[in-house]
Amino acid sequence: MIKDNLLSVLSELPEQVRLVAVSKFHPNEAILEAYEAGQRIFGESKVQEMTQKYESLPKDIEWHFIGHLQTNKIKYMAPYVSMIHGIDSYKLLAEVDKQAAKVNRIIPCLLQIHIAQEETKFGFSFDECKEMLSAGEWKSLKNIRISGLMGMATNTDSIEQINKEFCSLNNYFKDLKQIYFTDNTEFKELSMGMSHDYHQAIKQGSTLVRVGSKIFGERNY
Ligand SMILES: *Cc1c(COP(=O)(O)O)cnc(C)c1O
């Protein structure tokens, strides 16, 4: 079942798009089923849950943290996390850098941009993000790498609205690349698209889709 769902999602992804299988709230057995079908990138939104899974599951899994980040939890994932998607302040970026330095790693990070209409979704505004990048302090952080952007569209049935939001994020991404990352080939990821909107996200240039319920079924919180 999980295997079939996974293979069906994978079959729809163009070559340049990678899948983050969002396994939050699902048990190790479910993750192993996807792992055995070849999946290696998994996404989690709670540090404690992710760390427990990391400790008990195969070590070639790449763990992506996609949740809202708290400064005091970063140290627990710094030794192993492959990518952090939800950076929405300079303070968090600096803290990730500090914890990564302690374990002698460089952690790829995505800046989360608020593109949805809901107030509840986290992220920088377009202006705030540019201000942070213009200030330039981030350039002195040697143990993080800004690898791209992440965004979540409004939870709506309006395909037009979703397309508009993803498109605006892609334009902003290209804009930032030209201004701040001209000689940096590592700024290349655009993390957008979930179970209900990943088709639109791919059309608008996503390179990483974060798909959970379509693969693992509904979550029991
Ligand atoms: C839970 C979650 C997902 C996956 O959502 P589905 O609708 O189950 O695909 C993707 N991105 C983020 C940030 C999430 O928290």
Side-chain angles (χ1 to χ4, degrees):
M1 182 66 167
I2 289 175
K3 182 183 176 189
D4 295 339
N5 296 342
L6 174 78
L7 295 181
S8 130
V9 171
L10 285 173
S11 73
E12 296 169 319
L13 304 186
E15 208 180 335
Q16 73 279 10
V17 180
R18 292 185 300 153
L19 171 68
V20 178
V22 177
S23 49
K24 62 188 186 192
F25 296 95
H26 292 287
N28 286 353
E29 296 72 53
I31 297 177
L32 276 175
E33 207 176 320
Y35 178 87
E36 264 139 35
Q39 182 63 22
R40 290 295 179 274
I41 307 178
F42 292 88
E44 291 283 336
S45 61
K46 299 263 188 290
V47 174
Q48 197 184 358
E49 181 182 349
M50 182 169 80
T51 302
Q52 281 167 358
K53 287 172 172 172
Y54 160 74
E55 282 165 0
S56 48
L57 287 163
K59 288 294 172 286
D60 62 342
I61 289 180
E62 292 178 35
W63 295 99
H64 284 216
F65 187 76
I66 62 168
H68 187 62
L69 207 51
Q70 291 168 289
T71 27
N72 60 335
K73 302 277 174 67
I74 295 170
K75 58 175 179 287
Y76 300 111
M77 63 173 160
Y80 70 89
V81 70
S82 285
M83 185 173 276
I84 298 178
H85 289 229
I87 302 289
D88 64 359
S89 71
Y90 179 77
K91 187 171 158 253
L92 276 177
L93 197 61
E95 186 61 26
V96 172
D97 181 70
K98 186 174 145 192
Q99 298 301 335
K102 285 188 191 164
V103 290
N104 207 9
R105 295 188 67 216
I106 296 173
I107 299 181
C109 292
L110 303 181
L111 305 176
Q112 182 172 358
I113 311 294
H114 185 278
I115 52 171
Q117 287 175 322
E118 294 110 345
E119 287 295 330
T120 52
K121 297 213 162 92
F122 297 102
F124 287 103
S125 69
F126 287 151
D127 287 345
E128 285 166 353
C129 185
K130 271 196 177 167
E131 267 169 42
M132 194 273 283
L133 292 171
S134 292
E137 278 176 272
W138 60 276
K139 291 181 190 158
S140 66
L141 305 176
K142 299 297 177 223
N143 293 83
I144 53 100
R145 178 178 296 138
I146 300 181
S147 302
L149 303 179
M150 180 268 212
M152 290 165 86
T154 304
N155 190 1
T156 170
D157 291 331
S158 165
I159 292 194
E160 200 182 326
Q161 178 69 24
I162 293 172
N163 278 337
K164 197 174 88 185
E165 291 171 2
F166 285 150
C167 181
S168 73
L169 188 59
N170 192 5
N171 288 335
Y172 186 70
F173 172 77
K174 289 179 193 152
D175 192 27
L176 294 187
K177 200 169 169 65
Q178 266 182 7
I179 305 174
Y180 303 101
F181 300 98
T182 38
D183 40 37
N184 180 344
T185 52
E186 302 294 336
F187 187 80
K188 58 174 195 243
E189 304 291 357
L190 198 45
S191 168
M192 52 186 200
M194 308 171 37
S195 289
H196 66 284
D197 59 15
Y198 70 96
H199 293 111
Q200 282 99 291
I202 291 169
K203 282 192 200 123
Q204 301 301 333
S206 174
T207 66
L208 281 172
V209 290
R210 310 176 309 271
V211 179
S213 39
K214 183 115 195 248
I215 298 169
F216 296 107
E218 291 305 315
R219 290 178 284 273
N220 292 315
Y221 291 101

